[in-house]
Amino acid sequence: MIHVDVAMRRGDFSLDARFTTPEAGVVALFGRSGCGKTTIVNLISGLLRPDRGRIEIGGETLIDTASGRCLAPEQRRIGYVFQDARLFPHLSVAANLAYGLKRSRGRAHVIEYDDVVSLLALAPLLARRPHSLSGGERQRVGLGRALLAQPRLLLLDEPLASLDAARREEVLPYLEALRLRLSLPMIYVSHAFDEVLRLATHLVVLEAGRIVAQGPLTEASLDPALTAIVGPAAVGAILDAQVLEGDAATGLTRVRVGRSGTLRLRAPDLIAGAQVRVQVLARDVILSDRAPVGLSVRNALRGHIVSIESQGDEACRTLLDLDGARIVAHVTRDAAAALQLRPGGEVWALVKTVSLRSHAFPHA
Amino acid sequence: MPLTAAEIDALRLSFGVAARSVLFSLPFATLIAWLLVRGRFRGRFALDAFVHLPLVLPPVVVGYLLLVLFGRRGPLGSWLYDSFGIQLAFTTAGAALATAVVSFPLMVRAIRLSLEAVDRGLEDAARTLGAGPMDRFLSITLPLMLPGILAGAVTAFAASLGEFGAVITFVSNIPGETRTLPLALYTAIQTPGGDAAAARIAALSLALGFSGLAISEWLARRMRRTLGQA
């Protein structure tokens, strides 16, 4: 387990955060800029010291202000990928990569130099100097350098934030590959929810120095606290689904969500049995009080209303349970009244196939 | 235009004095620069002022103070002579000390600027990669300071070659021992009929100055290129 319980005050900013996450997988630390995400990873790495608190990883205490124990950053074995890469300008790419590796002598080498070079496609860059690399290449080298120091936990502080969309695609697939190939726990700081959707297994949501939501991504994605941060248009359930069958003729793939529901996705090249992650945006969900007939909508799932609460002036936030798969739907108050929506009531949730965002997310 | 034996002597002496002065003061200048930039202690401003003192004092005063301290009867001079048999006053080593003291602030300033320009984030990155304090300094901070250290060394070397007041006051003007180029030039001017000799030494100094500037500029460019700053 990764256990963080820290408090710190610097000028106007105060941080008071406590969260516990499993050690396996990718924990996304999500929130707006300035909410304290980077401060938390700096505290975990040891580059900052909390005024009060305790950080524990896999049973080892890194810092405990109560007992006065504090491990220096160089003794923590925590890799750090910085937003600005921070490659050493006077060293070649190869020497940058080797920097941490050399200093990890005497420990078991789980991550080998050649593996990192091939996994991150660094071979053509080895002889070059950092200043001649593109932003995406820099981040890949920074990632490789951190991995080769043989960390037990990898911190990634918005590694894609300084890159444009094209450059991000130079790095994101590598991050995904990494997640699969190495059983290395990661804490991924981001304010971009699409990155979280693609990488995270666990979500910790931060707002003004406080944790407002945390849990496995599928659960935390339903948390109302997230709405305030991502905005109502981006709120949506994230479902882990399993591919049932693909249809080459229509280009549609049927996937299982919950215990019995099926959804059709526009996701070619998926093989039966593969895991896929589907995002169902709350504003794209249509509710019906009876089984739909004569509609173009291909996805209709039967379930019941868990809760309904009005939100703002007109919208109602409706939490649905579709036989094990939970999603959120935003409907107008007017519609809620007309359909007589109430907790426990039976409904059909309709979602257009074209509005579903999916991402192949093979579980290791 | 072959050089005369006296000119070669003066030239060799000047280089020897300047080289010893720079080599001796470099580690101390680096340490002081470090303390001034990174140190958090009382008396930092006093140290800063003290280091810069030779820059604002007339060199003759520096030479005089050195003579008081390091003369055979001075508190430090007598101790050095009695304990180690080292004499500084009126020796080549003393000339190196005098030029080192006078050029010290120039060196500290250059090194300090380069240290201030070192990105602390890179040192933090090195920490997360397992580098302890000394390791970090040697593998990251020092190499990044190198252009500044080099600039400081070149400036101090040039200043040492040309130092007159502190040298003549502390170690006098002894041929083959303490008569460096500026002192040789001064002697030539003072000698009746020495105009031609003075002009030759002045030309020599000019040539030295230009080559020094050219070499330091070339080195600085090379370093900036490796660091990717150009």
Side-chain angles (χ1 to χ4, degrees):
Chain A
M1 298 294 272
I2 299 169
H3 176 75
V4 175
D5 178 7
V6 286
M8 204 173 98
R9 182 174 280 281
R10 288 287 181 279
D12 285 345
F13 177 75
S14 93
L15 175 81
D16 193 347
R18 180 194 300 214
F19 62 87
T20 302
T21 67
E23 228 176 301
V26 177
V27 178
L29 205 53
F30 180 73
R32 278 190 277 250
S33 346
C35 69
K37 305 184 296 283
T38 300
T39 306
I40 289 184
V41 288
N42 280 337
L43 287 167
I44 296 174
S45 71
L47 295 176
L48 281 178
R49 280 181 92 145
D51 297 338
R52 175 204 67 70
R54 209 175 119 73
I55 298 171
E56 202 187 288
I57 292 174
E60 190 187 357
T61 304
L62 303 179
I63 181 161
D64 183 4
T65 50
S67 72
R69 177 181 165 81
C70 178
L71 227 57
E74 56 265 36
Q75 292 162 345
R76 291 193 179 188
R77 295 201 292 120
I78 294 180
Y80 198 144
V81 179
F82 299 90
Q83 189 175 340
D84 50 352
R86 298 195 189 174
L87 302 183
F88 304 131
H90 58 298
L91 300 177
S92 68
V93 167
N96 266 281
L97 289 174
Y99 192 91
L101 185 65
K102 273 189 213 157
R103 285 159 179 82
S104 67
R105 284 220 181 94
R107 297 205 301 264
H109 280 186
V110 186
I111 305 170
E112 299 292 343
Y113 186 86
D114 292 340
D115 290 345
V116 166
V117 168
S118 72
L119 195 62
L120 298 173
L122 297 174
L125 310 178
L126 290 176
R128 286 170 57 187
R129 296 254 166 195
H131 64 86
S132 72
L133 303 178
S134 75
E137 289 168 339
R138 263 175 226 186
Q139 286 302 6
R140 266 152 55 199
V141 176
L143 190 57
R145 182 179 70 175
L147 288 173
L148 285 169
Q150 315 295 325
R152 59 176 147 189
L153 167 71
L154 188 63
L155 305 171
L156 300 112
D157 184 17
E158 307 214 29
L160 307 178
S162 59
L163 307 178
D164 58 44
R167 297 271 172 262
R168 282 155 73 129
E169 284 306 315
E170 271 180 22
V171 183
L172 252 176
Y174 292 103
L175 286 173
E176 291 176 313
L178 215 72
R179 210 186 59 79
L180 290 176
R181 284 282 306 279
L182 308 170
S183 56
L184 178 65
M186 302 186 205
I187 295 183
Y188 188 91
V189 171
S190 183
H191 68 261
F193 202 66
D194 57 320
E195 290 169 21
V196 172
L197 172 69
R198 281 176 70 165
L199 294 169
T201 52
H202 213 85
L203 186 64
V204 174
V205 183
L206 201 60
E207 172 79 359
R210 305 286 184 278
I211 306 288
V212 291
Q214 60 173 304
L217 187 63
T218 44
E219 282 170 33
S221 65
L222 302 171
D223 202 299
L226 202 57
T227 310
I229 297 169
V230 297
V235 170
I238 292 169
L239 302 172
D240 281 326
Q242 193 179 28
V243 176
L244 294 173
E245 57 180 355
D247 183 348
T250 57
L252 297 181
T253 300
R254 278 200 324 133
V255 299
R256 157 92 60 234
V257 291
R259 282 182 293 271
S260 62
T262 60
L263 286 175
R264 282 170 188 81
L265 305 176
R266 286 195 307 168
D269 304 331
L270 288 177
I271 45 167
Q275 292 290 328
V276 66
R277 182 167 272 183
V278 184
Q279 188 181 27
V280 185
L281 290 178
R283 60 165 188 188
D284 290 338
V285 179
I286 297 163
L287 296 185
S288 166
D289 60 0
R290 64 203 68 171
V293 280
L295 293 176
S296 69
V297 178
R298 308 299 293 146
N299 298 310
L301 295 165
R302 187 179 184 171
H304 67 271
I305 296 174
V306 177
S307 68
I308 178 163
E309 56 198 83
S310 72
Q311 187 184 46
D313 294 338
E314 295 125 27
C316 280
R317 177 193 156 86
T318 317
L319 179 62
L320 310 168
D321 188 320
L322 310 170
D323 197 19
R326 291 196 161 201
I327 68 167
V328 188
H330 286 170
V331 293
T332 58
R333 198 183 289 181
D334 183 45
L339 291 177
Q340 294 177 322
L341 299 181
R342 58 188 162 67
E346 191 174 74
V347 283
W348 272 263
L350 316 180
V351 197
K352 292 173 73 169
T353 292
V354 291
S355 67
L356 285 175
R357 274 212 290 170
S358 69
H359 190 70
F361 188 80
H363 288 274
Chain B
M1 184 184 93
L3 298 175
T4 66
E7 283 166 357
I8 290 173
D9 250 12
L11 195 59
R12 211 171 43 206
L13 204 57
S14 284
F15 271 105
V17 164
R20 283 158 85 169
S21 150
V22 167
L23 286 180
F24 180 74
S25 40
L26 214 46
F28 291 101
T30 310
L31 180 69
I32 297 286
W34 178 275
L35 287 175
L36 291 178
V37 175
R38 299 282 174 90
R40 291 284 167 269
F41 55 94
R42 287 166 66 91
R44 197 158 59 94
F45 291 102
L47 178 68
D48 199 1
F50 181 73
V51 165
H52 282 85
L53 215 51
L55 212 56
V56 292
L57 279 181
V60 179
V61 175
V62 174
Y64 169 74
L65 290 175
L66 285 175
L67 199 56
V68 170
L69 283 173
F70 289 97
R72 277 288 295 276
R73 287 190 194 80
L76 289 171
S78 59
W79 173 74
L80 277 177
Y81 189 75
D82 296 342
S83 322
F84 307 102
I86 296 172
Q87 185 185 339
L88 289 172
F90 311 112
T91 63
T92 314
L97 175 66
T99 60
V101 169
V102 174
S103 61
F104 196 68
L106 297 173
M107 196 184 264
V108 171
R109 285 173 84 89
I111 297 176
R112 182 183 178 167
L113 279 178
S114 71
L115 178 58
E116 276 165 353
V118 170
D119 180 0
R120 298 293 292 266
L122 295 175
E123 293 171 27
D124 281 347
R127 286 197 94 174
T128 64
L129 294 166
M134 201 59 194
D135 185 3
R136 264 182 339 254
F137 178 74
L138 293 176
S139 64
I140 306 295
T141 320
L142 197 60
L144 292 175
M145 287 166 68
L146 225 48
I149 291 179
L150 181 82
V154 171
T155 317
F157 191 83
S160 297
L161 280 180
E163 180 50 35
F164 178 79
V167 173
I168 203 165
T169 315
F170 182 39
V171 295
S172 188
N173 184 2
I174 307 162
E177 184 77 27
T178 65
R179 184 175 288 171
T180 56
L181 277 177
L183 272 65
L185 178 59
Y186 172 76
T187 310
I189 297 167
Q190 296 293 305
T191 314
D195 295 354
R200 285 168 61 94
I201 298 172
L204 193 60
S205 302
L206 217 61
L208 277 180
F210 272 122
S211 347
L213 280 177
I215 292 171
S216 79
E217 182 60 23
W218 176 74
L219 277 171
R221 276 188 194 192
R222 245 187 78 142
M223 280 194 182
R224 277 202 300 271
R225 242 201 333 269
T226 28
L227 292 183
Q229 292 161 352

